[in-house]
Amino acid sequence: MADASIFPAAISGMFELLSPVPPGWGGNLLRGLANSLQIAFGAFGLGLLIGTLGAYGKLYGGPVIRDILAIYTTIVRAVPELVLILLLYYAGTDLINRVLEAMGYAPVNISGLVAGIVVLGFVQGAYGTEVLRGAIKAIPQGEIEAARAYGMSPGVMMRRIILPAMLPHALPGLANLWLIATKDTALLAVVGFSELTLETRQAAGATKAYFLFYMAAGVLYLLVTLSSNAIIGRVEIWARRGMPSIREA
Amino acid sequence: MTETAVQTFRIAPKQNGDTEARRLAPHRIVLALIGLGLVAASIFFLRWDWLPNYYGLIAQGLWRTIWILAVTCVLGFLLAVPLGLAQAAGPAIVAVPARAFCTIIRGTPLLLQLWLLYYGLGSLFPQYPWIRESELWPYLRQAWPYAVLALTLSYAGYEGEVMRGAFAGVPKGQLEAARAFGMRRFTILRRIWLPQAIHRALPTLAGEAVLQLKATPLVATITVIDLYAVASRVRQDMFITYEPLLLLAAFYLVITGVIVFLFRRLERLIPSKLG
C-alpha cells in the first residue's frame, strides 16, 4: 500500500489486521460495507418512490397537497440529516410502539436496518421530489398533452410516457442522490447502527491502528463511488439512446 | 382530472393569475393554523423548564456553529478557486491531482474524513517528537483544528468541482478580448475570469453553504461543542428526547433561512445580465 511509509510501527502487521478471517478485522469491515449498501439501496428505492409520488403531487396535485409537499421538501432540505435521523429514529419508534400499545399489542423492537432505510428514505424522498419534478418539467409538454389526447389514464401515461421520457433528464440528479445515499449511511453510525463507519471505528479502537482502518474504509467507500460512477455512465448512455449527445456544462 | 387538464394548457395561469389571492387562499390559512397549533402544543405539552439553565451554553454552541461555518466556507472557497482553475485550465501535472482530490473528497463520507483526521492523524502525531516539541502542538491536541480542516477540505472538494464548471463556462471570447487588450495572465484572471466565474457559481454557493451548515453537527462527534453537542448534552442531562432536537431543528431552519436571504441579497448586488 502507498501509505506504508507513514506507518512506521506496523508495516508487516497491516495485512494481518486487514485479513478477512477472525484475527484480522477485514471481515467486520466487509460486513459493515454490506450493511451500508443494503441501507443505501433500500433508502434510495424508498426515496425514488416518495420522490415520484411527490413530484407528481407537486406538479399535478391540488393546492393543499402542493403546499404540504413544499413544507416537506423545505424542512427536510434545511435541517441537518443527523438531526433528522435522530428525530425520526426516536419519534418513529416511539410512535409505532405507542400505537401498538394503544391497540393492545406488545411493543416491538424495530431493527436498525428498517429504521435506517425508512429514515434515510424519507430524507432522500425530499431531494428526489425536486430532482424528478425538474425532470418531468424538462419533458416537452406536448408529449404529455398528446398522451392525454389519446385518452391515456394517469397511470398508463406515467408508465409509458412520463417515466421513460424524464429518465435522461433525471439521471444526473438521481446519480447524485445515490452517491449521497451511500455516504449518508455513515451518519447511522451516530445512532449506533453497525455499518461500515461504526465497524471501522470499533476495529480501530480495538487495535489502536486508527489511521490504517480509516484509510481502508475510505478506500472501500471510494470503490463504491467509483464503481457506481462507471455503472451510472453506462446507464446514462442507455437512457439517452437516440438523443443528441450530452452538452458539456 | 379536470384540474390537471386545465393545468397543462397555457390559459390556466391567466385565469387565476393574481398571486396575492392565492397566497391567502383558505387552505393556507388552515395550514398555518395547524402549524401554529403544533408549535403551541409543543410549547405547552413538552418540557421546557430546563431552557433557562442552558441559555449560556446554547449561545456558546450557536456562536461556535456559525463561526465554524463561516471560517470553513471562506477558507474552503479560497482553496476551491485554485482547484477549479487547475482542473479547468491547468496542465495535467496540476489538473490530475486536483481532480483526484475532488473525487476522493466527494467519494467518501465526511464523517469518515473527520474521524480519519482526528483519530487517525491525531494518533500518528504523538509518535514524532519534533511535532510534540513544535509550537503547533497545543493546537494539534485540541479537536477544533481537525474539525475546521476536515470541513474546509470537504467544502473545497465540492466547491472545486463547481468552480471548474464556472471557469469553463466563461465565454472564450471574453478571455480572448482580454488577451487582445494586452492584459497579463494574472490580470486576466483577476479582472475578467475570476469575477465572471464567481458570478456563475453564486447560485450554487448558497446551496453549498446550506449543505456546509448541515455538515457542521458532525464535529460534535469529535468533541467540539457546537449547537448540536449542546442539544445532546441537554438530552443526556435531562433525560428528554424530543425537546432539544426540535429546538435544534428550529435553530437550523432559521440559520438556513438567514443564509438563503444573505445570498439572495448578495446576488442582487451584482447586476445580472447573463448572455
Side-chain angles (χ1 to χ4, degrees):
Chain A
M1 263 185 135
D3 56 290
S5 56
I6 341 172
F7 219 80
I11 299 167
S12 60
M14 258 175 60
F15 293 104
E16 251 169 71
L17 282 174
L18 284 176
S19 84
V21 280
W25 290 79
N28 289 41
L29 292 200
L30 290 179
R31 219 169 304 133
L33 179 65
N35 276 338
S36 285
L37 285 179
Q38 236 174 325
I39 287 193
F41 269 119
F44 185 66
L46 184 61
L48 269 187
L49 189 69
I50 297 177
T52 312
L53 296 177
Y56 232 67
K58 258 196 166 179
L59 286 173
Y60 304 117
V64 179
I65 290 182
R66 262 188 244 185
D67 281 355
I68 290 175
L69 285 171
I71 293 169
Y72 162 58
T73 53
T74 309
I75 289 186
V76 169
R77 293 189 307 160
V79 175
E81 281 84 357
L82 194 57
V83 178
L84 278 177
I85 284 171
L86 286 177
L87 258 180
L88 293 174
Y89 190 82
Y90 291 118
T93 49
D94 202 34
L95 202 68
I96 288 173
N97 276 337
R98 273 190 199 173
V99 168
L100 282 179
E101 230 170 300
M103 285 164 62
Y105 294 101
V108 289
N109 217 346
I110 290 156
S111 83
L113 187 72
V114 175
I117 287 177
V118 170
V119 170
L120 282 185
F122 185 78
V123 176
Q124 288 262 310
Y127 289 90
T129 299
E130 295 297 324
V131 168
L132 294 174
R133 187 177 67 98
I136 291 177
K137 282 183 93 173
I139 306 172
Q141 293 300 305
E143 292 188 17
I144 294 171
E145 286 168 13
R148 277 212 193 97
Y150 268 102
M152 285 188 193
S153 68
V156 174
M157 188 173 73
M158 182 149 155
R159 189 161 50 83
R160 288 214 194 136
I161 311 293
I162 294 186
L163 287 183
M166 79 172 182
L167 198 58
H169 302 294
L171 268 179
L174 291 183
N176 236 343
L177 271 186
W178 161 249
L179 294 180
I180 291 176
T182 57
K183 285 182 287 173
D184 271 359
T185 55
L187 297 179
L188 293 174
V190 178
V191 288
F193 181 72
S194 62
E195 45 65 66
L196 180 51
T197 305
L198 192 63
E199 290 281 359
T200 307
R201 189 180 186 171
Q202 283 164 353
T207 58
K208 302 288 172 213
Y210 292 98
F211 198 75
L212 171 71
F213 278 109
Y214 285 122
M215 280 304 246
V219 169
L220 285 179
Y221 276 114
L222 205 57
L223 281 179
V224 171
T225 305
L226 293 178
S227 50
S228 309
N229 276 343
I231 294 169
I232 288 163
R234 296 292 288 274
V235 173
E236 212 160 324
I237 290 171
W238 168 79
R240 297 189 130 265
R241 67 203 184 281
M243 294 183 76
S245 66
I246 310 162
R247 193 171 48 88
E248 210 4 74
Chain B
M1 261 329 286
T2 50
E3 173 79 27
T4 52
V6 168
Q7 276 295 320
T8 46
F9 294 114
R10 291 288 150 83
I11 312 159
K14 278 177 197 160
Q15 274 178 347
N16 43 14
D18 42 338
T19 47
E20 280 302 310
R22 283 184 72 101
R23 201 166 290 160
L24 284 175
H27 74 276
R28 290 218 169 147
I29 296 171
V30 173
L31 280 180
L33 285 179
I34 293 175
L36 279 179
L38 282 178
V39 171
S42 54
I43 288 174
F44 285 121
F45 293 119
L46 298 177
R47 277 186 60 192
W48 296 105
D49 53 333
W50 48 271
L51 206 49
N53 301 335
Y54 287 93
Y55 278 146
L57 215 53
I58 290 174
Q60 225 175 341
L62 182 65
W63 167 243
R64 196 157 296 167
T65 291
I66 291 173
W67 178 83
I68 287 181
L69 174 69
V71 167
T72 57
C73 276
V74 170
L75 289 180
F77 184 73
L78 292 180
L79 208 56
V81 169
L83 276 173
L85 197 60
Q87 288 183 76
I93 196 163
V94 290
V96 171
R99 172 155 311 166
F101 174 80
C102 286
T103 309
I104 289 173
I105 293 291
R106 294 174 353 128
T108 52
L110 176 57
L111 187 63
L112 189 82
Q113 296 165 15
L114 198 62
W115 287 0
L116 172 70
L117 287 177
Y118 182 66
Y119 296 112
L121 269 187
S123 72
L124 287 187
F125 283 148
Q127 296 177 6
Y128 300 97
W130 62 269
I131 292 181
R132 256 186 313 191
E133 284 151 19
S134 75
E135 312 242 316
L136 281 173
W137 182 240
Y139 295 103
L140 289 177
R141 290 180 56 190
Q142 292 170 10
W144 65 264
Y146 298 95
V148 169
L149 179 64
L151 285 173
T152 302
L153 291 182
S154 158
Y155 190 81
Y158 284 93
E159 195 58 33
E161 200 69 17
V162 173
M163 287 311 288
R164 177 187 67 84
F167 275 119
V170 174
K172 290 285 164 288
Q174 298 269 348
L175 305 178
E176 283 163 10
R179 213 169 298 140
F181 267 102
M183 287 189 192
R184 282 176 300 129
R185 287 166 78 177
F186 186 72
T187 316
I188 294 178
L189 177 67
R190 188 168 54 86
R191 287 211 193 141
I192 312 290
W193 211 5
L194 188 58
Q196 293 199 31
I198 289 178
H199 188 192
R200 275 161 186 273
L202 210 51
T204 54
L205 274 180
E208 291 289 335
V210 172
L211 287 180
Q212 185 76 351
L213 168 72
K214 299 198 322 182
T216 53
L218 292 181
V219 302
T221 61
I222 59 166
T223 71
V224 176
I225 309 290
D226 74 328
L227 200 53
Y228 174 84
V230 173
S232 310
R233 168 111 178 259
V234 173
R235 279 171 51 207
Q236 279 166 9
D237 287 356
M238 307 296 302
F239 303 107
I240 47 179
T241 313
Y242 301 117
E243 292 85 346
L245 285 176
L246 286 174
L247 191 67
L248 195 59
F251 264 114
Y252 282 112
L253 270 175
V254 170
I255 301 175
T256 304
V258 170
I259 292 174
V260 171
F261 173 76
L262 285 180
F263 270 94
R264 208 168 280 167
R265 287 284 295 273
L266 196 64
E267 257 176 86
R268 215 172 290 162
L269 281 181
I270 303 168
S272 70
K273 199 181 159 202
L274 270 177

